[in-house]
Amino acid sequence: AEYISLEGNLLYPAPQHVEDLELVSVLHSAATACYGLIRAALLKASEIIFVNGGAGSVGSAIIQLAVARGARVIAATTGKEKIEWCKS
């Protein structure tokens, strides 16, 4: 589709300094994480999930969504910097 109709409260302005391709990649990662966790896996607050590749785009979106839903997250990644990224 070339056009889409949405309610105004579902739209947010994009930061001026962020390129369109970057915005699309963030939205794609978030949509993938949301579908996998909420629609397919039916994640509940009391559950524990394991995220392999937690510092990647989809992995970090999964961590954020799971924490927001009250789940406990165990993530795997490599390197101190990526570990800190997952913890944040």
Side-chain angles (χ1 to χ4, degrees), residues 21-70:
L21 189 56
E22 291 176 278
L23 292 171
V24 170
S25 67
V26 169
L27 292 173
H28 184 266
S29 298
T32 301
C34 187
Y35 179 81
L37 280 182
I38 297 166
R39 297 194 76 190
L42 305 174
L43 181 70
K44 295 176 184 68
S46 60
E47 295 181 314
I48 300 169
I49 67 162
F50 173 74
V51 181
N52 192 24
S57 60
V58 175
S60 62
I62 288 172
I63 291 171
Q64 292 176 54
L65 285 170
V67 169
R69 288 188 75 91

Side-chain angles (χ1 to χ4, degrees), residues 63-85:
I63 291 171
Q64 292 176 54
L65 285 170
V67 169
R69 288 188 75 91
R72 181 171 175 228
V73 177
I74 300 169
T77 193
T78 58
K80 290 181 182 180
E81 191 174 303
K82 290 181 180 180
I83 290 170
E84 291 306 315
W85 174 262

